[in-house]
Amino acid sequence: MENKRYLFVCSTQFTIFNCINEVLNDPEKYNGKTDIVLFHQTKGTIQLSEKLKESKIFNKIYNFPFINNVHSIFLLILFIFPRFILRRLCLNEESVRFKKNHYNAIFSQSLLYASLFKVFNKNSSTYLIEEGLSSYTGRALDVRRRRPLFRLVNKTFLRHFFIADIKGQLLYKPELYCGEKGSETYLPITVPKHSAIFNKIFAYTSNDLYRSHKFVYLGAPYWGLRKLISNPDIAKKEDKDLERKCKSLVDRSMKAQTKSTFIYRVHPIEEINEKFYESFCILDRCKNMWEIECQNSLTDEHVLMSFFSTASFTPKLLYGKEPYIIFLDNLTGYEFLNFADFTNGLKSLYKNPDKIMLPRSEDELFSIIKNLSKRIF
C-alpha cells in the first residue's frame, strides 16, 4: 500500500514544536512522505529550519517569507495563482514545484495557510494544529474576524472552504475547547516525550535564572491582546489607549514585588525598551523556547503573571505542572473571547484551582503578589 503524504504548515516556534511532536509521537503514521512549510516571521524560525534539516524528521522543508501582513491585492493574486507565486517566493536554494493533489492531509497553523495549500490539494483532508489559546476559543475558525478581502476570497475562489472543509483540530486538551462546535473533530496531541531531540533542535542552553527567581511576567505584544476582545468590531480597531493601559499596569505590578525581582520573559515578536526594564526587573536573555524552558526549569512554586497568554497554560497543558497563575485581563475593562470559559476549564484541570487568580482591582492584584511573596520566600 502506498504511503500517505502529509504536509504541515506553520510560522511560529510553538507550532513548529507541535508539528515535530505530532510526527515523533506517531512514526508509523508519518513514515511516508511528510513535508513541512515554514513561513518565517522571525530570525528564530530561519535558524530552526537548518536544525530541522539536520534532524531528518521531515522529508522536505520549504521556506517562505512571512505573508500574513502583505497587501490584500498580493494575497488575492496568490490565491489565484498559488503554485506559480509560491514557486517564486520560495527561499530554498533548489527549484520548487508543488504538484496538484499531492498531499492526503494538510495540518496547518491557520486558516490562511490551510486555504492556500487546499487550493491545489482539493482532495486532501485539512486540519488545524494548535497554535495557542485562539485554537481553543474558536477564533481560529471565525471568518468574521478576517479582513474583508479574506472573506471575499472565501466566498468566491474557495466556496466557503474556511468553515466547510476543516475536518478538525489537533489540540493538547480537546476538552478545553470552548468555541462554537460544528462538524469538526477535536483530536488530542500526545504530550511531548522526546526532550533530548527538542533540546537539540531548539538549541536549549542551561538557565539557572528560574531557580533563583520565582516571579515571571510573560510578555506579549499588547496589540495582539486587542485581537482577542470578544466584540469583533472593537477587536479590529486601533486602540493605543489599551496598549498604554496594559503596559502601565504591568510596570506597576512588577515594581510591587519587593522580596524578589520579576523575570521579564520577552515574547519573540515583542519590542521593549530594555534599559527601562533593567532598572526594576531581570530580562531573560537566555531566550530558550518557553515550551522547553517549562519542561526543564518551571516548578509548581513559580508565579506566572500575564494577560490571556498561551504561555501561562503551557506548563499544565504540556507537562502537568501547576505554577501559580495571575491573569490581568479583568483589569483592562474589556471582555475577551471565551476568557471565563477557558480559565474555568484550566481551573478544572488543577488539583488546587485556587492557584489560578483573576484579580478585579489593582489593590487585589498587589495584595496577591505580596501574599505569594511571603508564601514562597
Side-chain angles (χ1 to χ4, degrees):
M1 186 175 68
E2 183 182 357
N3 287 327
K4 290 185 177 181
R5 296 185 177 92
Y6 300 96
L7 178 67
F8 290 84
V9 191
C10 50
S11 66
T12 67
Q13 290 194 30
F14 181 51
T15 45
I16 294 172
F17 177 93
N18 293 338
C19 294
I20 295 171
N21 188 45
E22 173 67 13
V23 173
L24 289 179
N25 283 326
D26 199 345
E28 185 175 346
K29 175 180 178 181
Y30 297 108
N31 66 354
K33 301 293 185 180
T34 302
D35 302 335
I36 188 168
V37 167
L38 306 177
F39 287 100
H40 295 293
Q41 185 177 11
T42 65
K43 291 181 180 179
T45 58
I46 296 175
Q47 295 166 352
L48 272 178
S49 179
E50 286 301 314
K51 293 286 187 180
L52 278 179
K53 188 175 181 180
E54 294 172 8
S55 73
K56 298 182 180 180
I57 294 172
F58 298 96
N59 180 52
K60 290 183 179 179
I61 301 170
Y62 299 103
N63 298 284
F64 291 92
F66 195 58
I67 63 171
N68 296 50
N69 300 326
V70 299
H71 194 280
S72 296
I73 298 301
F74 178 81
L75 263 187
L76 183 60
I77 296 172
L78 179 58
F79 273 95
I80 297 173
F81 307 105
R83 291 196 299 151
F84 175 77
I85 300 297
L86 285 172
R87 188 165 73 244
R88 295 302 180 100
L89 286 177
C90 189
L91 302 174
N92 290 29
E93 292 181 1
E94 68 276 10
S95 178
V96 171
R97 288 180 180 272
F98 285 106
K99 299 177 182 178
K100 286 186 176 180
N101 297 316
H102 184 67
Y103 295 104
N104 300 91
I106 298 171
F107 301 91
S108 172
Q109 171 183 330
S110 68
L111 283 174
L112 170 62
Y113 301 153
S115 58
L116 177 59
F117 284 88
K118 179 71 174 181
V119 170
F120 54 93
N121 288 279
K122 297 185 185 299
N123 299 328
S124 66
S125 300
T126 312
Y127 300 86
L128 296 184
I129 191 165
E130 180 169 330
E131 65 159 343
L133 294 188
S134 60
S135 298
Y136 290 91
T137 62
R139 174 174 167 264
L141 291 170
D142 191 349
V143 178
R144 296 172 302 169
R145 291 176 171 267
R146 309 298 163 182
R147 47 179 148 168
L149 178 77
F150 224 56
R151 298 198 294 272
L152 175 63
V153 170
N154 179 40
K155 289 182 179 180
T156 54
F157 297 99
L158 302 178
R159 300 178 183 177
H160 296 278
F161 154 77
F162 285 150
I163 298 300
D165 211 36
I166 293 291
K167 294 287 186 181
Q169 294 195 70
L170 275 65
L171 305 170
Y172 283 104
K173 294 289 183 181
E175 65 270 27
L176 289 186
Y177 182 80
C178 49
E180 286 187 30
K181 291 188 177 181
S183 58
E184 308 86 20
T185 55
Y186 298 86
L187 309 173
I189 305 176
T190 305
V191 296
K193 299 175 182 177
H194 304 82
S195 58
I197 295 176
F198 284 117
N199 285 347
K200 184 176 181 179
I201 293 175
F202 290 92
Y204 179 82
T205 57
S206 181
N207 189 0
D208 292 332
L209 187 59
Y210 293 88
R211 294 179 185 175
S212 55
H213 295 76
K214 299 299 183 184
F215 282 77
V216 185
Y217 169 64
L218 298 169
Y222 298 124
W223 51 262
L225 183 65
R226 186 181 67 250
K227 293 181 179 181
L228 293 174
I229 293 175
S230 294
N231 187 321
D233 294 327
I234 297 176
K236 293 174 188 174
K237 293 179 180 178
E238 290 283 340
D239 187 357
K240 296 296 183 182
D241 287 340
L242 172 61
E243 294 178 33
R244 284 191 289 268
K245 182 177 182 180
C246 291
K247 180 183 182 305
S248 177
L249 174 63
V250 168
D251 294 351
R252 293 195 303 277
S253 301
M254 287 197 286
K255 290 176 181 178
Q257 168 59 282
T258 56
K259 286 198 172 185
S260 175
T261 307
F262 261 91
I263 298 172
Y264 191 154
R265 172 83 189 187
V266 181
H267 191 279
I269 61 172
E270 183 183 16
E271 296 180 0
I272 67 167
N273 183 336
E274 292 189 0
K275 288 186 178 180
F276 171 74
Y277 283 104
E278 284 173 344
S279 65
F280 59 88
C281 64
I282 299 176
L283 299 177
D284 181 0
R285 297 189 180 279
C286 199
K287 297 183 179 179
N288 287 318
M289 185 180 178
W290 176 246
E291 286 70 24
I292 300 176
E293 196 71 82
C294 285
Q295 182 179 33
N296 295 335
S297 302
L298 262 284
T299 70
D300 290 355
E301 292 302 305
H302 279 90
V303 179
L304 308 181
M305 183 176 75
S306 76
F307 291 95
F308 198 18
S309 167
T310 301
S312 297
F313 293 79
T314 299
K316 182 60 180 178
L317 296 191
L318 270 64
Y319 305 112
K321 297 183 179 182
E322 298 190 359
Y324 296 93
I325 299 178
I326 304 172
F327 287 116
L328 304 175
D329 302 75
N330 287 335
L331 304 178
T332 65
Y334 289 94
E335 182 179 337
F336 293 92
L337 190 66
N338 299 119
F339 173 67
D341 292 335
F342 198 54
T343 50
N344 286 336
L346 182 63
K347 283 185 175 183
S348 71
L349 298 178
Y350 260 57
K351 296 175 184 176
N352 180 6
D354 291 337
K355 293 184 75 173
I356 300 172
M357 291 156 280
L358 299 84
R360 294 191 172 275
S361 70
E362 286 194 26
D363 287 342
E364 183 182 357
L365 169 63
F366 297 152
S367 177
I368 288 172
I369 293 173
K370 183 178 179 180
N371 290 335
L372 285 175
S373 296
K374 291 179 180 178
R375 183 179 304 176
I376 293 172
F377 296 100

